[in-house]
Amino acid sequence: MGDAMRKNRKKTVGHLWLIAAVLIIAFMLGRYVALPRIFPRAYASYVEEYAAQYGLEEALVYAVIFAESRADEQALSHKNAMGLMQITGPTGAWGAEILEMEGFTIEDLFEPETNIHIGCWYLRQLLNQFGNETTALAAYNAGSGNVAKWLSDPAYSSDGVSLKAIPFAQTEQYVKKVALYKRVYRFLYE
């Protein structure tokens, strides 16, 4: 294992331990007092509506929002992904066209309802395309083109459907974070 991979693995393990420590402390302070403040259900009415419309688990949508923006509707990434679910301009325009959102502009991605609507629609598209949540989340982070290449490479996929390895460390960490946050949201609110 190379030094870069060792550093990424240590960073991932360190990140997971930090989250675990926060969760333990918050649990000790009271499940219903501290944890909901750390992991809020921001924009619950929109999440409920669009998760139901696209057949998504609400905990998954909240986990993506938390991982992407920490529920900051004005979040802007270095790659110009915008809003709560960090939707890029091209994905937003594509989604708005398919969803027939009249008068859509890229700035609308900072509006929570529009962002969550397009984000849930896009998650459903990726789940339909790739057939499982882990692969869909990898595509949400790294792009569906990259994931399609990985699935056709025996180094990353043995069956062409699921990933046995994710070559981008950031994407690997992202998938793990979303899975952890989803478990937290299930624990708190289901």
Side-chain angles (χ1 to χ4, degrees):
M1 184 182 303
D3 286 341
M5 286 183 74
R6 249 189 299 272
K7 282 183 182 178
N8 285 334
R9 190 159 310 275
K10 283 183 181 180
K11 187 176 181 180
T12 299
V13 170
H15 182 75
L16 292 175
W17 276 111
L18 177 62
I19 291 170
V22 167
L23 292 175
I24 290 168
I25 291 167
F27 184 75
M28 292 168 59
L29 293 174
R31 175 179 172 186
Y32 296 105
V33 176
L35 281 177
R37 287 188 195 137
I38 297 169
F39 294 95
R41 288 194 307 169
Y43 307 101
S45 63
Y46 301 140
V47 171
E48 290 169 14
E49 177 182 353
Y50 295 114
Q53 182 175 336
Y54 294 104
L56 301 171
E57 187 178 349
E58 288 178 24
L60 172 63
V61 177
Y62 285 119
V64 169
I65 289 171
F66 191 80
E68 290 288 350
S69 69
R70 297 289 193 270
D72 176 3
E73 66 187 58
Q74 295 301 310
L76 179 66
S77 78
H78 67 281
K79 293 195 175 193
N80 292 319
M82 296 178 250
L84 294 165
M85 296 183 77
Q86 291 292 277
I87 308 295
T88 63
T91 299
W94 174 43
E97 181 180 344
I98 298 292
L99 298 170
E100 299 178 352
M101 293 181 170
E102 303 244 346
F104 173 83
T105 67
I106 298 303
E107 290 75 32
D108 292 341
L109 292 172
F110 290 116
E111 199 280 315
E113 182 176 12
T114 300
N115 192 281
I116 292 170
H117 188 176
I118 292 173
C120 287
W121 168 83
Y122 185 53
L123 267 175
R124 174 46 56 201
Q125 298 305 306
L126 294 173
L127 285 163
N128 291 346
Q129 180 179 356
F130 293 108
N132 71 68
E133 193 171 289
T134 299
T135 308
L137 288 171
Y140 194 93
N141 181 262
S144 57
N146 285 321
V147 171
K149 288 179 199 172
W150 302 341
L151 289 172
S152 66
D153 186 334
Y156 305 119
S157 176
S158 55
D159 60 6
V161 175
S162 58
L163 295 168
K164 64 182 180 183
I166 298 174
F168 294 176
Q170 177 198 9
T171 300
E172 181 180 27
Q173 291 171 9
Y174 174 81
V175 169
K176 289 177 183 177
K177 282 192 301 187
V178 172
L180 176 64
Y181 298 155
K182 181 180 166 188
R183 285 193 298 274
V184 170
Y185 276 100
R186 278 181 173 167
F187 170 76
L188 287 174
Y189 299 107
E190 292 180 9

